Amino acid sequence: MNDAPSTPFLPHFVGVRGNSIQADKQIDIVNEAQKVAMRIGAQVQKPSAIPGQNTLTSFTILTRMIQTMSAKQIQEVKQRLFIDRNNANGKSSADAKKLQSWEAFKHATANAGTGPALEAIKNWVEKGDVRNEKAAELVAVLPRTARLPTDKYIKTFFQFATSSNVVNQKYLNSTIIIGFSEILRKAQVDSDNKHMRYGVHSFGHLTSKNDQSLQQEYLPYLEEKLKSAFEKGDSQKIIVYIQALGNTAHPRLLKTFEPYLEGKKSASRFQRLLMVASLYQMTRVHPTTARAVLYRIYKNPGEAPELRVAALHLLANTNPPAAMLQRIAQQTNWEQSKQVISATQSFIRSAANMDQNPDSVEFARNAQSAVDMLNPADYGYSMSKNYLSSYVIDNIDKSYESQISSIGSFDSIFPSSVFVNFMANDGGYKHQIFHHSAMFS
């Protein structure tokens, strides 16, 4: 974790006769990184000049340089650049440049995504060099920038996230738990993501076969924290740990949520809705398992309408078979909730029009078989809706799929919840471009 990684084929790792740039004795990587950071700090003093000075290119170069550095080297650069904002002279141009140089170096380190970079950020937080929302900004990007999240990397991240210094810091304590759960899914739960993102065929498996930390340490910690939050009535932490467990996409979370969803344990309607919405990642990682749970929620007439609409929204990600869609369509003819009927109608009708996209032809045909079974009544736009669409660009082998869902409010024309999802397929590489949800209690 403290040593510089060895990653073939990246620019700064093969720049000197196939070796890392640090193999060149004429290059002092610490000095060079300091110079680039200071150049960025000087350039951002005049924002209008940033495009012409290629400041963003300099930031990319700085990030790549940090990727080749050990934790000790990163710490050396930090000692040269660090300045406490509280002690800086607001009227001093020199202090202003140094502050921006330190900001650039901090964020470049977070974007480096290596083990030494994580150790450096952990060290800065422990020493109080970065705190609260500033620290949260750094850890928020780690799940997306991690180059090779091995079991040691995950272990260090977990120890960082659960340290007493972190759990008491506002903003950071929530952000880092959400980030940890995301990287846990990407590195240890989602097999497809591991193969696509981290090159396990080149570097080997990220986690050893004997490592049981996921089942024996990480998930139990999140489960216990959720239980404790419910016992204390801490609504903010309840939301955080529901999202964190949902982020892992591990099937085990269903047993954790089950007593709350079935009413065996007390939870507010909004908290139960959040549990259903948090199953989004599971629909991508374990679609068959998620489909069974979501369908059971949807078809239960005694369940709250908003939970049923949310379950329907997520069902679209599981490629439901024709028989299931037909049963869903038939149910609209005796369904009591107008919100559920409206969401179901828009869901099946819009899905039936997605047959121009090869990726969704089967889903579209399944929906087409159910369209004529829908309740013909018309409901306005203030009711719950679930719209799906797709767009294909044939000449470059590219396609897009989008889903926009809303849960109607009972006392307003504005929806109480909105879910937006945008996916792309670039020549067979399927990835999420945008996913956002907004929910109001």
Side-chain angles (χ1 to χ4, degrees):
M1 285 294 293
N2 290 306
D3 296 329
S6 178
T7 308
F9 307 124
L10 290 181
H12 286 44
F13 287 88
V14 292
V16 181
R17 293 181 292 277
N19 297 312
S20 166
I21 58 172
Q22 296 207 40
D24 190 337
K25 296 181 179 179
Q26 295 181 347
I27 297 177
D28 185 334
I29 193 68
V30 173
N31 281 335
E32 294 302 321
Q34 179 188 2
K35 289 178 183 178
V36 175
M38 292 180 68
R39 183 165 69 243
I40 294 173
Q43 290 173 350
V44 298
Q45 301 305 309
K46 296 181 179 180
S48 60
I50 288 176
Q53 294 176 323
N54 296 318
T55 305
L56 294 180
T57 301
S58 295
F59 182 81
T60 300
I61 292 172
L62 179 59
T63 300
R64 290 177 175 175
M65 292 172 71
I66 295 171
Q67 287 175 343
T68 71
M69 297 168 69
S70 66
K72 181 180 178 181
Q73 290 172 324
I74 295 174
Q75 183 63 16
E76 288 180 25
V77 181
K78 176 259 175 183
Q79 290 174 347
R80 298 183 186 186
L81 294 175
F82 177 71
I83 179 172
D84 192 328
R85 184 176 295 272
N86 296 325
N87 297 329
N89 185 345
K91 297 180 180 180
S92 169
S93 60
D95 280 5
K97 291 178 182 179
K98 195 167 185 180
L99 274 172
Q100 292 302 323
S101 299
W102 168 233
E103 287 292 321
F105 181 72
K106 280 193 308 183
H107 289 280
T109 302
N111 278 273
T114 62
L118 175 62
E119 288 284 2
I121 294 171
K122 180 171 175 279
N123 181 266
W124 298 342
V125 173
E126 289 174 348
K127 291 186 175 181
D129 296 331
V130 287
R131 298 179 292 273
N132 299 320
E133 67 270 22
K134 291 296 183 181
E137 290 174 1
L138 298 182
V139 301
V141 303
L142 295 179
R144 295 189 295 275
T145 61
R147 305 295 305 183
L148 202 63
T150 61
D151 48 2
K152 291 182 180 179
Y153 186 99
I154 298 293
K155 185 76 171 180
T156 301
F157 203 135
F158 178 71
Q159 292 171 345
F160 181 23
T162 57
S163 65
S164 58
N165 187 35
V166 169
V167 297
N168 294 319
Q169 290 197 43
K170 190 177 181 181
Y171 306 116
L172 175 60
N173 52 8
S174 299
T175 303
I176 197 168
I177 285 295
I178 298 297
F180 171 73
S181 63
E182 184 177 345
I183 200 168
L184 191 63
R185 180 190 75 250
K186 290 179 176 179
Q188 297 193 4
V189 179
D190 189 348
S191 299
D192 291 341
N193 183 80
K194 282 190 292 185
H195 282 76
M196 179 178 66
R197 190 180 183 94
Y198 300 122
V200 295
H201 293 294
S202 298
F203 303 105
H205 291 287
L206 299 176
T207 307
S208 64
K209 294 182 179 180
N210 298 323
D211 184 18
Q212 298 297 317
S213 299
L214 174 64
Q215 294 279 3
Q216 297 180 4
E217 188 173 7
Y218 306 147
L219 291 176
Y221 174 84
L222 297 176
E223 291 165 353
E224 182 58 33
K225 284 296 183 180
L226 178 63
K227 179 182 177 182
S228 175
F230 268 111
E231 290 174 349
K232 295 177 181 178
D234 190 333
S235 59
Q236 184 176 355
K237 287 187 177 180
I238 289 172
I239 291 173
V240 169
Y241 286 103
I242 287 175
Q243 290 180 312
L245 280 165
N247 257 353
T248 66
H250 196 283
R252 175 170 165 166
L253 70 90
L254 295 175
K255 291 184 178 180
T256 305
F257 288 169
E258 184 178 19
Y260 300 102
L261 292 174
E262 294 186 350
K264 296 176 182 178
K265 290 186 178 181
S266 178
S268 70
R269 181 177 286 192
F270 178 78
Q271 290 164 351
R272 295 173 67 245
L273 173 61
L274 185 60
M275 288 180 184
V276 175
S278 71
L279 298 179
Y280 168 73
Q281 293 295 348
M282 178 170 278
T283 63
R284 301 178 64 196
V285 181
H286 300 289
T288 304
T289 302
R291 183 197 303 153
V293 174
L294 294 168
Y295 180 62
R296 191 163 70 245
I297 294 172
Y298 171 82
K299 73 176 183 179
N300 180 8
E303 186 56 270
E306 56 265 39
L307 269 73
R308 298 174 65 195
V309 173
L312 181 68
H313 160 73
L314 295 178
L315 267 175
N317 300 324
T318 67
N319 193 24
M324 180 179 288
L325 292 177
Q326 289 168 7
R327 289 194 296 270
I328 288 173
Q330 288 175 333
Q331 187 170 332
T332 61
N333 292 291
W334 57 81
E335 174 62 54
Q336 298 299 309
S337 171
K338 293 181 180 179
Q339 299 284 357
V340 174
I341 296 174
S342 177
T344 305
Q345 288 174 331
S346 55
F347 165 61
I348 292 180
R349 286 170 180 164
S350 60
N353 293 323
M354 296 175 66
D355 53 357
Q356 71 273 23
N357 187 346
D359 294 331
S360 52
V361 168
E362 180 184 358
F363 180 35
R365 289 176 179 170
N366 291 343
Q368 289 167 4
S369 71
V371 168
D372 293 337
M373 300 178 184
L374 288 167
N375 184 328
D378 188 29
Y379 296 93
Y381 288 102
S382 63
M383 305 298 286
S384 299
K385 300 294 179 182
N386 193 345
Y387 293 110
L388 297 95
S389 63
S390 63
Y391 181 70
V392 179
I393 308 176
D394 291 322
N395 57 337
I396 59 173
D397 194 17
K398 194 168 189 174
S399 63
Y400 298 96
E401 290 185 5
S402 65
Q403 183 181 17
I404 301 176
S405 304
S406 64
I407 299 178
S409 175
F410 293 96
D411 55 3
S412 172
I413 62 172
F414 297 104
S416 61
S417 300
V418 177
F419 307 93
V420 181
N421 190 32
F422 197 54
M423 301 288 293
N425 184 342
D426 295 317
Y429 171 52
K430 299 179 181 180
H431 58 104
Q432 178 179 285
I433 295 179
F434 180 78
H435 175 70
H436 184 71
S437 59
M439 305 168 67
F440 305 94
S441 63

